[in-house]
Amino acid sequence: VFYRENPAVSVGNVGQLAVDLIVSTLNMCRVGYLHTDCLIPMAGNNPYATSAENANDLSTSAEVYSSPDLKLAVLQIRSPIIQKKSKKFRKLLVSWMKTSGFSRTVVLSSSHAYQRDDQQLLGTPLRYLLTPSMQKETGDHLKEMDWKEMETVSAFPGVSDSEQRLCIPGGGVTKGLFTASCAEDIPLAIVLIFCSEGDNIPDAFTLLNHLNTWLHLVETPIQTQPKWRIPASWRLLFGSGLPPALF
């Protein structure tokens, strides 16, 4: 039975960057794509090109990659969700999870660092959330690893602390997907990092190294950081530079 990972389109695109590293490092094969009108259409060259032969392979806004040896499927989302179709896209993902029979799903996401409350400023910027069915499977294990669960915050800060709610600002569909998965009894985990927009490559490495301590996607010696393979597409992550003719 496969388990699945996918990023949430969120602040800093940290989830997408982390999935880029997973697909590139594990040399995963593309096995399909998600056809939907909920995402802004896009097409481009192969972001994980390793040679001239596969550099011109067409890539789209949402593609599925697989590693049969690891029993892992990865959904990479490359374009923003159309605002008015966020709910429809969430329902599509939940339906796919249920019909595909994944043993578990892990969503990589991020949240605005500047909107943390006092308790969230302490310690690590990494957090996790588990649906009830996922809690039964791995909740105790993550607590033994000293992972920190996402805190609830006051619904009315400065007025009353009696009502607490889950809040993931900048997380896109993360909260909605988590809530829907709880209702549908889907084994799902959210792993996220508080960050700010900018050069978010370090955040992607931090998030992925944290995830690797749980899932062991890449086996490494004790107290050694895994070596992730940077994909070819990252060479143009911040554009192609300024044309010399400008000067």
Side-chain angles (χ1 to χ4, degrees):
V1 179
F2 273 63
Y3 72 94
R4 182 178 76 101
E5 291 187 33
N6 70 271
V9 181
S10 54
V11 55
N13 301 108
V14 178
Q16 286 98 321
L17 293 172
V19 167
D20 269 351
L21 292 170
I22 292 173
V23 174
S24 180
T25 302
L26 301 180
N27 198 26
M28 300 181 75
C29 297
R30 182 174 58 183
V31 294
Y33 60 91
L34 208 62
H35 180 63
T36 174
D37 62 354
C38 299
L39 299 173
I40 294 175
M42 66 136 290
N45 291 347
N46 181 8
Y48 311 119
T50 55
S51 65
E53 285 74 20
N54 64 5
N56 293 324
D57 291 350
L58 188 67
S59 63
T60 60
S61 54
E63 295 182 320
V64 183
Y65 296 82
S66 172
S67 174
D69 292 341
L70 292 175
K71 295 184 178 180
L72 171 67
V74 169
L75 169 64
Q76 174 62 297
I77 302 171
R78 297 193 177 93
S79 66
I81 302 167
I82 295 173
Q83 189 172 9
K84 292 184 178 180
K85 296 187 177 181
S86 178
K87 186 176 181 180
K88 180 181 177 181
F89 186 65
R90 186 181 72 229
K91 288 182 177 179
L92 173 66
L93 290 180
V94 170
S95 174
W96 184 46
M97 284 187 274
K98 291 179 68 176
T99 56
S100 299
F102 295 112
S103 62
R104 62 187 175 189
T105 298
V106 180
V107 177
L108 302 180
S109 186
S110 51
S111 183
H112 283 302
Y114 74 89
Q115 288 192 246
R116 289 175 292 178
D117 70 354
D118 290 348
Q119 61 181 334
Q120 293 172 333
L121 290 169
L122 301 174
T124 176
L126 296 153
R127 295 292 188 276
Y128 77 92
L129 283 167
L130 302 176
T131 60
S133 54
M134 193 70 166
Q135 180 72 40
K136 294 176 185 177
E137 177 187 332
T138 195
D140 292 340
H141 179 54
L142 295 186
K143 286 183 178 179
E144 290 172 1
M145 293 172 61
D146 291 327
W147 278 35
K148 198 165 185 177
E149 192 169 5
M150 186 69 170
E151 302 91 343
T152 55
V153 299
S154 175
F156 306 101
V159 178
S160 172
D161 293 329
S162 59
E163 185 178 342
Q164 299 286 308
R165 66 179 179 180
L166 177 64
C167 188
I168 309 177
V173 297
T174 303
K175 180 182 174 182
L177 190 58
F178 176 75
T179 303
S181 298
C182 288
E184 296 288 342
D185 196 32
I186 293 173
L188 178 138
I190 306 287
V191 184
L192 63 82
I193 185 171
F194 292 115
C195 67
S196 301
E197 291 278 7
D199 180 358
N200 295 101
I201 291 176
D203 298 312
F205 278 106
T206 299
L207 181 66
L208 196 49
N209 287 337
H210 184 61
L211 180 72
N212 198 62
T213 62
W214 170 31
L215 298 182
H216 304 291
L217 299 170
V218 177
E219 294 294 342
T220 58
I222 297 175
Q223 295 183 339
T224 301
Q225 296 290 0
K227 293 183 178 180
W228 304 104
R229 184 195 299 167
I230 294 175
S233 55
W234 281 24
R235 291 198 301 265
L236 299 176
L237 202 59
F238 298 103
S240 55
L242 298 173
L246 286 176
F247 308 98

